[in-house]
Amino acid sequence: MIKIITGQTGEGKTKKMIDAANQKVANLKGHVVYIDSVTTHRYALSHQVRLIEASNFPLHSQNDFFGFLCGILSSNHDIETVFIDELIKITHASIDELILFFDKLKKLSDEYAIEFIVGTACSNKDIPDILAPYLIA
């Protein structure tokens, strides 16, 4: 399952994601991973959530990031939920350019029963129609 949370900078999407991650880790048997472009929110996340700062790695495209994501998943088979904050910033792509990325993400989600919650700095009206079913906020 994929869920997309949209909002402009300062609208509270990161807070929603952090709260959801902290709540998930309390109720899951598996692991929760939170990927962000910075570690500013390190102390807001439960110590049980694995925080990964994407900017520490040479990620220059959506393909780089997808490979990075697959590497994370292959290293731990108990991951149940992955939060990806600031996807547009991490991948250096516009939301329109990320349609193929979401298609591959859906295949990962279906095959490995992983929930992906993705935060993007854009408005709901900017989301392509094909991605609209994933919108939750």
Side-chain angles (χ1 to χ4, degrees):
M1 172 186 292
I2 298 172
K3 297 177 181 176
I4 299 175
I5 298 174
T6 62
Q8 299 300 328
T9 302
E11 289 185 358
K13 69 184 168 304
T14 296
K15 173 139 178 41
K16 288 179 192 175
M17 291 180 66
I18 288 171
D19 290 346
N22 289 336
Q23 188 174 31
K24 285 271 186 192
V25 79
N27 299 319
L28 289 180
K29 293 182 175 141
H31 296 121
V32 175
V33 174
Y34 194 101
I35 302 170
D36 201 346
S37 63
V38 295
T39 58
T40 308
H41 311 104
R42 174 182 300 144
Y43 300 109
L45 285 166
S46 166
H47 71 281
Q48 295 172 310
V49 176
R50 180 175 178 206
L51 174 62
I52 300 172
E53 183 181 0
S55 63
N56 286 335
F57 301 91
L59 304 173
H60 305 293
S61 69
Q62 58 184 300
N63 288 331
D64 289 350
F65 184 66
F66 188 77
F68 176 74
L69 192 55
C70 288
I72 291 168
L73 298 176
S74 71
S75 70
N76 183 343
H77 298 285
D78 292 332
I79 295 173
E80 292 186 26
T81 305
V82 176
F83 289 83
I84 304 169
D85 199 0
E86 300 188 37
L87 178 65
I88 291 171
K89 186 175 183 179
I90 292 170
T91 60
H92 308 282
S94 72
I95 194 66
D96 292 322
E97 297 170 324
L98 290 168
I99 293 172
L100 181 59
F101 174 83
F102 277 101
D103 184 47
K104 294 191 296 187
L105 197 63
K106 173 122 177 55
K107 290 175 185 170
L108 267 183
S109 176
D110 292 345
E111 187 168 339
Y112 298 103
I114 298 170
E115 179 180 31
F116 291 96
I117 301 173
V118 181
T120 61
C122 65
S123 69
N124 283 359
K125 65 182 178 188
D126 296 329
I127 297 290
D129 291 340
I130 197 163
L131 300 180
Y134 301 136
L135 283 172
I136 61 169

